[in-house]
Amino acid sequence: AFMIVAAGLTFATPAMATANNKERSFIMIKPDGVQRSLIADIIKRFEQKGYKLIGIKVLVPAKQLAEAHYEEHAQRPFFQKLVSFLSSGAVVAMVWEGQEVIKFSRNMIGATNPLASAPGTIRGDFGVDFGHNVIHGSDSLTSAEREIALWFKSEELAQYDLTMQAWTYE
Ligand code: ADP
């Protein structure tokens, strides 16, 4: 029994680390972020943190896609404005992968209201207004899975190893 447990421990640690590193989040630079030339700066923050970019595309979202993306807000008074804004121009839709990427990217993004976002966060550094808050990030595992499936086909997500990750993760 000891041998089995010992063997289990030997192999469980790297295997679990790999599984943890596979969390995915849907991150989108909204039309205001694209128009304000913030694409490179935003990508740079995620890249430098150590997350892995596995999907990216630029598109002008159709109104239906924007509605589906924000369906949880369908009854809110700002819904129509939100949907027209999102479909008013190009966005950069991305999938980032890594340990606790959902929770941590929300920290990197900052509060919904840019004026309540801490300096150093994306919204805190770049935004002023609720409606033009630069970026979207999934807020839970459930929404991440739903949003990734909504915006990307599975073959649009790249599976590859990033050698740098051996230096990001123990
Ligand atoms: P977050 O983007 O931080 O996850 P929510 O999911 O609550 O925030 O809202 C989605 C988006 O709707 C926000 O990013 C913001 O652009 C817009 N929004 C939220 N609340 C308001 C509001 N009270 N007035 C105008 N726009 C809003």
Side-chain angles (χ1 to χ4, degrees), residues 30 70 73 78 82 106 112 123 130-131 133:
K30 297 187 191 180
Y70 278 127
H73 297 306
F78 56 85
L82 181 59
R106 295 285 296 187
T112 305
R123 288 171 176 166
F130 250 102
N133 61 8

Side-chain angles (χ1 to χ4, degrees), residues 87-138:
S87 51
S88 71
V91 303
V92 179
M94 296 177 281
V95 179
W96 286 88
E97 190 176 88
Q99 193 163 349
E100 299 208 41
V101 64
I102 297 170
K103 189 173 85 186
F104 201 82
S105 55
R106 295 285 296 187
N107 290 341
M108 287 168 62
I109 288 169
T112 305
N113 177 359
L115 290 181
S117 293
T121 64
I122 295 167
R123 288 171 176 166
D125 288 349
F126 300 136
V128 174
D129 202 357
F130 250 102
H132 287 175
N133 61 8
V134 181
I135 184 167
H136 165 83
S138 309

Side-chain angles (χ1 to χ4, degrees), residues 22 52 159-165:
K22 293 291 178 200
K52 179 164 79 174
Q159 296 214 24
Y160 64 101
D161 290 324
L162 209 50
T163 51
M164 172 277 283
Q165 303 245 300

Side-chain angles (χ1 to χ4, degrees), residues 3-130:
M3 293 294 285
I4 293 165
V5 170
L9 285 176
T10 306
F11 294 106
T13 309
M16 280 169 60
T18 307
N20 288 343
N21 301 352
K22 293 291 178 200
E23 185 173 296
R24 293 172 172 184
S25 188
F26 175 71
I27 303 292
M28 173 170 51
I29 305 173
K30 297 187 191 180
D32 52 330
V34 172
Q35 292 299 326
R36 293 178 53 210
S37 307
L38 297 174
I39 298 170
D41 196 301
I42 290 169
I43 289 178
K44 184 175 188 170
R45 292 175 183 228
F46 284 84
E47 208 176 22
Q48 290 187 329
K49 176 65 183 169
Y51 290 132
K52 179 164 79 174
L53 182 61
I54 62 164
I56 182 165
K57 57 179 151 185
V58 184
L59 71 159
V60 179
K63 198 144 185 271
Q64 278 164 303
L65 178 57
E67 282 170 354
H69 175 75
Y70 278 127
E71 67 181 13
E72 68 170 312
H73 297 306
Q75 305 309 321
R76 305 283 281 276
F78 56 85
F79 181 66
Q80 277 315 322
K81 203 177 95 182
L82 181 59
V83 161
S84 346
F85 171 63
L86 196 66
S87 51
S88 71
V91 303
V92 179
M94 296 177 281
V95 179
W96 286 88
E97 190 176 88
Q99 193 163 349
E100 299 208 41
V101 64
I102 297 170
K103 189 173 85 186
F104 201 82
S105 55
R106 295 285 296 187
N107 290 341
M108 287 168 62
I109 288 169
T112 305
N113 177 359
L115 290 181
S117 293
T121 64
I122 295 167
R123 288 171 176 166
D125 288 349
F126 300 136
V128 174
D129 202 357
F130 250 102

